[in-house]
């Protein structure tokens, strides 16, 4: 496989080291998807594998997100929906596996990277200052279409989930843990050890049930949810005047999905994601993303220009 290196230890723990070829940072591209489809079948059939750990093989982070080029190539709403459905299938294999999967996060874990972690049964992140977690798809005129829009409000409080989804903000590991986005924070030096210890515990005891505070239980009441979403929608309209479709689509997916079984909610997410990928707003924001990336590489100096020493400056 071109995207993964795998190691199976004597205790049945398979470590999948993500190292996407020809990329400085890991991104979820078609090669990663193809490789994992092959690997996931073996994971379920191989009785020697008891648990799985995802960890990065690169220094620069866990997974920076999906390959934006895939999104750029989606010309119709159906193209975009297909991308989301494929992501649901990929992450569904992880979430529905009878074997515990652990995400061991060091460095940036954004977009599809966090959605992969969200599909896992346990998430550990380091206290490295470069570890940032978030779902920034709204900045590209999109919504998190790999289960993120649907599963985050089911994992953490609705107000915290909407704040993350609508702002696209990135948070450090300690704040992510306080919010419930991850389960544990450790030093980078013991990330692998902690992940293996967790894997052994989950093999023996199963996935722990997460307790909810009284406030979280209160927010799950139907009329409270409606009030929170109504207030969020008013704030979005005030800021965007209804001219920016992504935040409104995010709210629609949350509002409709929370009252439906997961499979029905994911269908709504995929449909809305597809419609956004075909929208002119998303197309232009993706173009701006690529233009900004190219601009960062520009030196604005001709290649044959010789630098001169500056000894005096007048303003």
């Amino acid at each position: 496989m071109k995207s993964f290196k795998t190691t199976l230890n004597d205790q049945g723990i398979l470590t999948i080291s993500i190292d996407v070829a020809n990329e400085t940072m890991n991104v979820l591209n078609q090669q990663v998807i193809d490789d994992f489809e092959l690997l996931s079948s073996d994971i379920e059939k191989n009785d020697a594998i008891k648990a799985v750990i995802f960890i990065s093989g690169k220094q620069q982070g866990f997974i920076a997100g999906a390959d934006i080029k895939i999104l750029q190539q989606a010309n119709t709403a159906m193209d975009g929906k297909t991308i989301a459905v494929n992501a649901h299938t990929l992450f569904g294999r992880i979430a529905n596996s009878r074997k515990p999967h652990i995400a061991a996060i060091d460095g940036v874990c954004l977009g599809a990277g966090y959605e992969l972690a969200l599909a896992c049964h346990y998430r550990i992140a380091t206290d490295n200052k470069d570890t940032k977690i978030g779902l920034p798809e709204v900045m590209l005129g999109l919504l998190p279409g790999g289960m993120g829009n649907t599963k985050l409000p089911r994992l953490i409080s609705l107000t915290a989930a909407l704040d993350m989804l609508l702002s696209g903000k990135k948070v450090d590991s300690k704040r992510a843990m306080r919010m419930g986005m991850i389960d544990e924070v450790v030093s980078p030096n013991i990330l692998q050890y902690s992940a293996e210890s967790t894997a052994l515990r989950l093999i023996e005891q199963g996935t722990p049930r997460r307790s909810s505070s009284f406030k979280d239980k209160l927010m799950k009441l139907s009329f409270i949810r409606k009030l929170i979403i109504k207030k969020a929608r008013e704030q979005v309209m005030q800021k965007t005047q209804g001219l920016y479709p992504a935040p409104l689509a995010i709210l629609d997916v949350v509002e409709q999905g929370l009252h439906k079984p997961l499979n029905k909610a994911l269908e709504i997410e995929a449909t809305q994601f597809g419609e956004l990928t075909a929208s002119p707003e998303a197309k232009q924001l993706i173009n701006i993303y690529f233009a900004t990336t190219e601009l960062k590489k520009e030196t604005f100096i001709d290649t044959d220009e010789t630098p001169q020493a500056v000894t005096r400056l007048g303003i």
Side-chain angles (χ1 to χ4, degrees):
M1 292 175 291
K2 297 179 181 178
S3 306
F4 305 134
K5 295 181 180 67
T6 58
T7 305
L8 181 64
N9 70 11
D10 294 338
Q11 296 165 310
I13 300 171
L14 180 72
T15 296
I16 301 175
S17 181
I18 308 167
D19 191 358
V20 181
N22 304 317
E23 297 285 353
T24 56
M25 299 185 74
N26 287 325
V27 292
L28 193 72
N29 60 19
Q30 192 59 50
Q31 185 65 58
V32 175
I33 294 169
D34 293 344
D35 284 351
F36 186 73
E37 284 180 351
L38 292 172
L39 187 58
S40 62
S41 177
D42 186 54
I43 289 171
E44 293 306 311
K45 294 177 181 177
N46 190 342
D47 292 336
I49 299 173
K50 308 296 184 184
V52 178
I53 295 170
F54 287 105
I55 197 166
S56 176
K58 295 184 185 293
Q59 295 293 324
Q60 292 85 348
F62 185 66
I63 300 177
D67 185 352
I68 308 298
K69 294 174 185 175
I70 296 176
L71 303 175
Q72 194 180 36
Q73 294 165 3
N75 296 317
T76 67
M78 185 53 67
D79 290 340
K81 183 175 181 178
T82 300
I83 292 171
V85 170
N86 290 341
H88 292 171
T89 301
L90 175 70
F91 296 142
R93 288 196 181 106
I94 297 171
N96 298 324
S97 175
R98 57 192 174 86
K99 303 176 182 183
H101 286 58
I102 297 99
I105 302 163
D106 184 39
V108 293
C109 177
L110 303 174
Y114 180 63
E115 287 177 305
L116 184 148
L118 199 56
C120 290
H121 305 97
Y122 199 88
R123 291 163 287 279
I124 305 173
T126 68
D127 56 8
N128 180 352
K129 64 180 179 59
D130 294 324
T131 298
K132 300 293 180 185
I133 297 168
L135 294 166
E137 285 87 346
V138 70
M139 308 300 289
L140 293 176
L142 301 170
L143 57 79
M147 295 189 175
N149 207 125
T150 298
K151 294 192 79 170
L152 188 64
R154 296 174 182 231
L155 178 69
I156 66 176
S157 75
L158 181 55
T159 51
L162 290 179
D163 182 37
M164 294 296 296
L165 292 168
L166 294 172
S167 69
K169 68 171 62 172
K170 308 163 192 174
V171 296
D172 62 32
S173 58
K174 291 181 180 179
R175 185 174 178 189
M177 183 173 173
R178 288 197 300 270
M179 294 168 67
M181 294 178 71
I182 60 172
D183 300 293
E184 189 176 345
V185 178
V186 300
S187 165
N189 298 329
I190 62 168
L191 179 61
Q192 179 75 42
Y193 170 80
S194 298
E196 290 177 0
S197 298
T198 297
L200 289 174
R201 187 175 76 249
L202 297 186
I203 291 169
E204 294 174 3
Q205 302 175 9
T207 305
R209 295 187 63 180
R210 292 176 174 81
S211 59
S212 298
S213 66
F214 175 75
K215 182 180 177 182
D216 289 340
K217 291 177 181 177
L218 194 65
M219 286 189 185
K220 291 181 180 178
L221 296 175
S222 180
F223 76 96
I224 297 290
R225 285 175 171 175
K226 287 181 179 179
L227 286 174
I228 293 170
I229 292 172
K230 181 185 177 191
K231 183 64 176 177
R233 195 179 298 277
E234 289 172 355
Q235 292 173 344
V236 167
M237 289 299 294
Q238 185 178 8
K239 289 181 180 180
T240 69
Q241 302 301 309
L243 300 175
Y244 191 42
L248 295 173
I250 287 169
L251 287 170
D252 287 342
V253 171
V254 172
E255 186 173 24
Q256 296 176 54
L258 281 174
H259 303 286
K260 289 181 169 58
L262 182 62
N263 63 326
K264 297 293 184 184
L266 290 175
E267 187 176 337
I268 296 169
E269 178 185 280
T271 299
Q272 290 276 25
F273 180 84
E275 291 176 0
L276 287 176
T277 56
S279 70
E281 291 84 1
K283 291 294 184 186
Q284 293 307 318
L285 286 168
I286 289 172
N287 288 340
I288 290 171
Y289 167 83
F290 281 112
T292 303
T293 302
E294 289 301 313
L295 196 62
K296 291 176 182 177
K297 302 175 184 176
E298 180 58 64
T299 63
F300 300 102
I301 298 174
D302 292 336
T303 55
D304 58 352
E305 193 73 30
T306 303
Q308 299 294 318
V310 177
T311 58
R312 183 176 296 178
L313 178 66
I315 299 178

